[in-house]
Amino acid sequence: MPSASTNYRTLLRTSGAAAFFFPAALGRLGIAMTGIGIVWLVHTRTGSYAAAGLVTGGFAVADAVAGPQIGRLVDRFGQTRVLPCALGAYAGAVALLLVGAVPDLVAGVCVGATLPQLGALSAARWSALLSGERAAALPTAFALEALANGVSYLAGPALVSVLGAAGRPGVGVLLAAALVVGGGLALATQRRTTPPLTGHAERRHAGRALLRSAFLRQAALGLTLGMFFGAMQVSVAAYAVGRGTPDAAALLYFASNCTNLVGGWAYGAWRRSGSPQRHQATAAACLTLTTLPLTLLDAPLAVGATLALTGLAVPVLLILTSVLTESSVPRAVLTQAFTWGNSASAAGMAGAAAVAGRVVDAGGAHSGFGVAAGAAAVMTVLVLTGLRDPSADEPNSWALRGNQGTEPADRRTG
């Protein structure tokens, strides 16, 4: 097996790759800072966590609903035309929030509705760049995306929280916006790697792929992954508080996040044999098996070690969801497909956090871990169902056709 550094280094040396990946990664760091930055800003302004939570919830819902619509515009008009407009609107919304020109909830919703999904745009560029004979490198590219995402959500909230705790929450929100706008504009200037546009008739035909079982299954997996994340966040915090050691929650999150990075790094470097569907089934089953003990364990060391094990499986699922989403839809709707996956995950996280909160109040942290284990079990069932779906065995059918045109071969030649 070649070293991970060789794999990733070779990938980034692909012509044009580094020029779009690093700006998108920089912008993704800003995205990871935005939600918690809003919490700090609104709480400092109002003194109310309830108000901060309401505004952040409005931001998250607007982001989940508007993301696929921005993705549809990108698929139709291209990243270089849509991104500057979206970023301009986003900067204006952040300005409204900072100066308090409108109610905080209205400003938060506007920020979420205009926030572009830079990760989805970067993934779409990888798909266009690694076409044909180079398509075998896509799992490594998506592993690199998962690593960038993991680092962003590890460092971003910590950075903005330091600024918030120092009494400068506005600086945190402003820094987040600067990273998003700067990274997004730099990405928009990279015209050479922009995915090619397709005609109206091709997009209309391609849109039907978003209703196919192969894609809907991946969207459902995104939803259940979000449910897993939401339940785990609440349950870990409840476990630490219940033991009278609330500071331990940060250490437990850190253990899981670190192994998350290791799992994504290792899978991206691994020479893979076998189908992505089988890898996905194995990862989902491992996640279920490693989460179940959390419903019983009580010793902090055992809980920390088990959380670290769950962190190894999560990035593999994220990578494979991207791989199988890319292969299940044509190029003409690929950005939409990626953003729908992100939106499904956000919706699952919000819903599960609310459910897990009620369950924890009634039965303690172990019951909350049971919600996470249930989500992992549903993932396993979904993936196993996919193994029995004949359409899931089509080898990158849409992706391969999308590199040559978005319509199926029989349509083009008929």
Side-chain angles (χ1 to χ4, degrees), residues 391-406:
S391 67
D393 294 327
E394 297 174 9
N396 289 344
S397 55
W398 281 113
L400 292 173
R401 292 166 185 162
N403 293 331
Q404 304 164 13
T406 59

Side-chain angles (χ1 to χ4, degrees), residues 79-394:
Q79 295 186 17
T80 56
R81 294 177 63 184
V82 174
L83 255 181
C85 298
L87 291 167
Y90 165 76
V94 171
L96 291 176
L97 178 66
L98 288 172
V99 303
V102 297
D104 288 338
L105 179 58
V106 174
V109 168
C110 290
V111 172
T114 55
L115 181 65
Q117 296 289 341
L118 299 180
L121 304 186
S122 183
R125 287 184 183 242
W126 281 118
S127 179
L129 187 64
L130 301 177
S131 58
E133 295 179 354
R134 295 186 292 182
L138 269 176
T140 303
F142 291 142
L144 192 61
E145 290 289 309
L147 284 171
N149 194 62
V151 170
S152 295
Y153 279 91
L154 189 62
L159 176 58
V160 81
S161 294
V162 167
L163 291 170
R168 304 179 70 85
V171 174
V173 173
L174 188 60
L175 177 59
L179 290 171
V180 173
V181 173
L185 289 176
L187 179 64
T189 63
Q190 303 303 314
R191 296 177 179 272
R192 187 157 56 95
T193 53
T194 300
L197 298 180
T198 56
H200 174 71
E202 292 174 314
R203 287 195 307 273
R204 185 176 179 182
H205 176 79
R208 300 172 189 170
L210 296 175
L211 301 176
R212 297 175 73 232
S213 61
F215 169 71
L216 292 176
R217 188 177 302 108
Q218 298 309 313
L221 280 167
L223 178 70
T224 50
L225 264 173
M227 293 171 62
F228 176 85
F229 293 142
M232 288 295 279
Q233 286 177 353
V234 172
S235 302
V236 168
Y239 168 79
V241 171
R243 291 188 60 85
T245 55
D247 291 344
L251 293 176
L252 294 173
Y253 289 133
F254 183 75
S256 179
N257 286 335
C258 284
T259 53
N260 194 305
L261 295 177
V262 171
W265 175 83
Y267 187 78
W270 177 40
R271 285 186 181 275
R272 291 161 291 275
S273 59
S275 71
Q277 290 88 349
R278 294 189 182 279
H279 293 171
Q280 195 176 51
T282 301
C286 289
L287 184 63
T288 303
L289 292 175
T290 53
T291 306
L292 281 172
L294 291 171
T295 62
L296 302 172
L297 294 174
D298 195 52
L301 211 56
V303 170
T306 306
L307 286 171
L309 287 176
T310 66
L312 291 172
V314 166
V316 178
L317 285 166
L318 290 171
I319 293 164
L320 290 169
T321 298
S322 295
V323 169
L324 292 170
T325 295
E326 194 272 346
S327 67
S328 67
V329 299
R331 185 84 62 216
V333 292
L334 186 56
T335 309
Q336 287 181 68
F338 283 134
T339 52
W340 274 119
N342 293 340
S343 294
S345 181
M349 188 179 299
V355 171
R358 289 180 175 272
V359 170
V360 166
D361 285 341
H366 291 93
S367 299
F369 286 127
V371 175
V378 172
M379 276 184 250
T380 305
V381 172
L382 282 170
V383 178
L384 291 176
T385 302
L387 291 177
R388 304 170 64 89
D389 183 357
S391 67
D393 294 327
E394 297 174 9

Side-chain angles (χ1 to χ4, degrees), residues 8-23:
Y8 293 128
R9 189 185 306 121
T10 301
L11 190 67
L12 288 171
R13 284 178 177 171
T14 304
S15 179
F20 75 77
F21 171 74
F22 288 111

Side-chain angles (χ1 to χ4, degrees), residues 65-78:
V65 172
Q69 314 315 318
I70 296 176
R72 180 179 290 111
L73 292 174
V74 168
D75 284 332
R76 180 174 181 180
F77 298 109

